[in-house]
Amino acid sequence: MDKPKLKEHDGMVCRSCGNEERASEGYPCADCGTFICLICTFRGVTRCKACEEKAKATSVAAAPPPLPPPGTPPTPPRAA
């Protein structure tokens, strides 16, 4: 007598590294809640790739412009 094939599959793809792991062995992304595997979590990953890229884009856009080097004359004010 043959064993019946299992139809259940509890694997999920990690949205950070792309590895497939058991769904119970991972944590959700801090921003969107998608699956992040346990290995990535041990490495300090808290966000999926998409959320990490969004966070980097907003941090770069929100950063103030760099200061000019010392000794540079001040920029004249703009005329309105």
Side-chain angles (χ1 to χ4, degrees):
M1 180 182 237
D2 292 331
K3 284 185 171 180
K5 298 237 183 208
L6 290 177
K7 295 179 184 177
E8 297 175 7
H9 182 74
D10 69 342
M12 294 180 76
V13 176
C14 175
R15 298 297 175 113
S16 181
C17 68
N19 288 339
E20 185 174 338
E21 299 291 335
R22 290 181 60 194
S24 61
E25 296 180 0
Y27 292 93
C29 170
D31 293 346
C32 68
T34 58
F35 179 75
I36 297 176
C37 72
L38 201 57
I39 300 300
C40 288
T41 304
F42 286 159
R43 292 178 181 159
V45 175
T46 58
R47 288 184 257 198
C48 64
K49 279 186 180 181
C51 290
E52 191 63 37
E53 288 175 8
K54 286 180 196 174
K56 285 181 183 177
T58 56
S59 67
V60 170
L67 295 173
T72 306
T75 325
R78 293 185 182 181

